[in-house]
Amino acid sequence: MPIYAYKCSACGHEQDVLQKMSDEPLTVCPECNQETYAKQVTAAGFQLKGTGWYVTDFRGGNASSGGASASAGASSTSAGSTASTSGSSSTSA
C-alpha cells in the first residue's frame, strides 16, 4: 500500500497516511476539522534492483558511463553531419 503525504491549507498540519490506492482521498484535517486537507505531490521512492539495473548507469564521471556518453556523442555527431551534408547539397542545387 502506498504512503500519501497530506497537508492542510488552513492550519498547515502535515501527515503521511498509509492508504489503499482504491481509498477515497482524505479531505477533513484531523487537527482543525476543516475540509482543507489535500494530497501533496511527492517523488516516488523506489529503486530498481536485479541484473541489468545499475545505480551508476546514468551518473556522470564513471568510466563505463563516460564510454557510453562518448559513443552516444559520436553517433549524434555523425547524424548531424549527415543532415548538414544533405541540407547543403539541396541548398546548392
Side-chain angles (χ1 to χ4, degrees):
M1 286 195 313
I3 298 173
Y4 295 103
Y6 281 88
K7 183 176 182 180
C8 178
S9 60
C11 70
H13 174 73
E14 295 180 359
Q15 184 177 7
D16 292 338
V17 180
L18 182 67
Q19 288 183 300
K20 292 180 182 178
M21 294 179 77
S22 59
D23 288 348
E24 291 293 320
L26 302 176
T27 56
V28 178
C29 176
E31 289 291 315
C32 65
N33 294 322
Q34 293 186 18
E35 291 196 23
T36 54
Y37 214 44
K39 279 186 187 180
Q40 301 296 298
V41 178
T42 58
F46 72 94
Q47 185 174 11
L48 301 172
K49 293 186 177 184
T51 57
W53 300 102
Y54 298 98
V55 174
T56 58
D57 276 352
F58 300 104
R59 289 189 183 164
N62 293 336
S64 62
S65 66
S69 297
S71 64
S75 64
S76 66
T77 305
S78 63
S81 64
T82 306
S84 63
T85 305
S86 63
S88 63
S89 63
S90 65
T91 308
S92 62

